[in-house]
């Protein structure tokens, strides 16, 4: 065991953890605002819109995130029209490609989670809003979205944790998040066990903090649902 190497490289692990959190919350933040309107379209009475969103979620939930990341980072570079476009400075960036792949993937999962929560909003709440004279937009803002989100919290919490763990794939396209730092140390110092155990401990700590914070949020905003069930 050579833990001195780990001690020497702790600042690198801290930088990797910082990048891990940036990737996690940037992806989740963007996808959150995309998934809400997509959830409404997923439950739309318009068959074209409903099946279009369903096709999107099917593709991105039905294929591995690593494959999606490679298609965006390596695959798009194959096409000359992409390399010559104004988007190439962005698409040639590992950070942009990773966030794009993560956003597309987690938005698909979040859309289905939110759509399921929307389907479980009691009909009585919707009818009461209509009887009160609320417009569709006001109903969505005051009734549907809050009710949808509170009912989706347990599943969405799991998606957040999965997204945190999925950031380890960023190391495959040269980003030095926690797993990337561990891999770099194994290559430079020819040790395998200590770097990855340290990475696992960091992920475990981040997961514990995230789960604890999410439990507080769930108790604060969705506690009334638990009391109903009890």
């Amino acid at each position: 065991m050579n833990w001195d190497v780990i001690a020497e490289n702790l600042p690198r692990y801290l930088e990797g953890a910082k990048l891990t959190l940036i990737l996690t919350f940037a992806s989740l933040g963007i996808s959150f605002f995309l998934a809400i309107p997509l959830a409404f379209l997923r439950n739309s009475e318009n068959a074209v819109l409903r099946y279009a969103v369903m096709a999107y979620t099917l593709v991105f939930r039905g294929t591995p995130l690593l494959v999606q990341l490679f298609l965006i980072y390596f695959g798009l570079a194959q096409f000359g029209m992409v390399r010559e476009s104004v988007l190439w400075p962005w698409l040639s960036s590992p950070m942009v490609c990773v966030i794009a792949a993560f956003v597309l993937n987690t938005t698909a999962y979040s859309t289905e989670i939110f759509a399921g929560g929307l389907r479980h909003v009691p009909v009585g709440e919707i009818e009461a809003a209509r009887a009160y004279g609320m417009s569709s937009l006001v109903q969505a803002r005051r009734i549907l979205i809050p009710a949808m989100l509170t009912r989706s919290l347990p599943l969405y919490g799991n998606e957040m944790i999965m997204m945190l763990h999925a950031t380890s794939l960023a190391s495959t396209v040269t980003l030095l998040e926690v797993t990337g730092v561990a891999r770099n140390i194994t290559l430079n110092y020819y040790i395998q066990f200590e770097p990855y155990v340290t990475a696992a401990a960091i992920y475990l700590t981040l997961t514990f903090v995230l789960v604890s914070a999410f439990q507080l949020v769930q108790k604060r905003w969705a506690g009334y649902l638990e009391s109903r069930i009890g």
Side-chain angles (χ1 to χ4, degrees), residues 64-84:
L65 176 55
L66 182 61
V67 173
Q68 297 165 20
L69 176 57
F70 282 178
L71 282 174
I72 293 174
Y73 185 66
F74 297 112
L76 292 180
Q78 174 181 329
F79 302 101
M81 61 180 298
V82 175
R83 295 194 304 271
E84 296 169 3

Side-chain angles (χ1 to χ4, degrees), residues 87-115:
L87 296 177
W88 181 242
W90 295 90
L91 293 176
S92 61
S93 165
M95 186 75 168
V96 172
C97 290
V98 165
I99 291 179
F102 288 175
V103 166
L104 289 170
N105 183 270
T106 191
T107 298
Y109 283 94
S110 300
T111 296
E112 291 294 342
I113 291 171
F114 292 162

Side-chain angles (χ1 to χ4, degrees), residues 117-138:
L118 190 59
R119 286 191 289 269
H120 284 84
V121 176
V123 177
E125 294 183 13
I126 301 173
E127 292 178 346
R130 289 173 180 169
Y132 194 72
M134 292 184 183
S135 65
S136 298
L137 185 60
V138 174

Side-chain angles (χ1 to χ4, degrees), residues 21-31 95 99 103:
L21 292 174
I22 290 173
L23 292 172
T24 300
F25 288 108
S27 302
L28 289 171
I30 296 170
S31 69
M95 186 75 168
I99 291 179
V103 166

Side-chain angles (χ1 to χ4, degrees), residues 64-208:
L65 176 55
L66 182 61
V67 173
Q68 297 165 20
L69 176 57
F70 282 178
L71 282 174
I72 293 174
Y73 185 66
F74 297 112
L76 292 180
Q78 174 181 329
F79 302 101
M81 61 180 298
V82 175
R83 295 194 304 271
E84 296 169 3
S85 71
V86 295
L87 296 177
W88 181 242
W90 295 90
L91 293 176
S92 61
S93 165
M95 186 75 168
V96 172
C97 290
V98 165
I99 291 179
F102 288 175
V103 166
L104 289 170
N105 183 270
T106 191
T107 298
Y109 283 94
S110 300
T111 296
E112 291 294 342
I113 291 171
F114 292 162
L118 190 59
R119 286 191 289 269
H120 284 84
V121 176
V123 177
E125 294 183 13
I126 301 173
E127 292 178 346
R130 289 173 180 169
Y132 194 72
M134 292 184 183
S135 65
S136 298
L137 185 60
V138 174
Q139 286 181 44
R141 181 168 58 86
R142 293 188 176 181
I143 305 295
L144 297 178
I145 293 177
M148 173 186 74
L149 293 179
T150 53
R151 285 166 173 79
S152 302
L153 278 176
L155 289 176
Y156 190 65
N158 291 336
E159 175 59 20
M160 293 180 69
I161 295 169
M162 294 297 293
M163 189 71 260
L164 172 67
H165 296 166
T167 58
S168 61
L169 297 178
S171 63
T172 62
V173 292
T174 73
L175 291 185
L176 291 179
E177 41 66 65
V178 172
T179 302
V181 170
R183 176 184 291 181
N184 191 263
I185 292 173
T186 64
L187 295 175
N188 291 335
Y189 294 92
Y190 303 103
I191 55 175
Q192 301 290 331
F193 184 79
E194 299 91 328
Y196 288 114
V197 166
T198 304
I202 292 173
Y203 283 119
L204 184 62
T205 302
L206 294 177
T207 300
F208 176 78

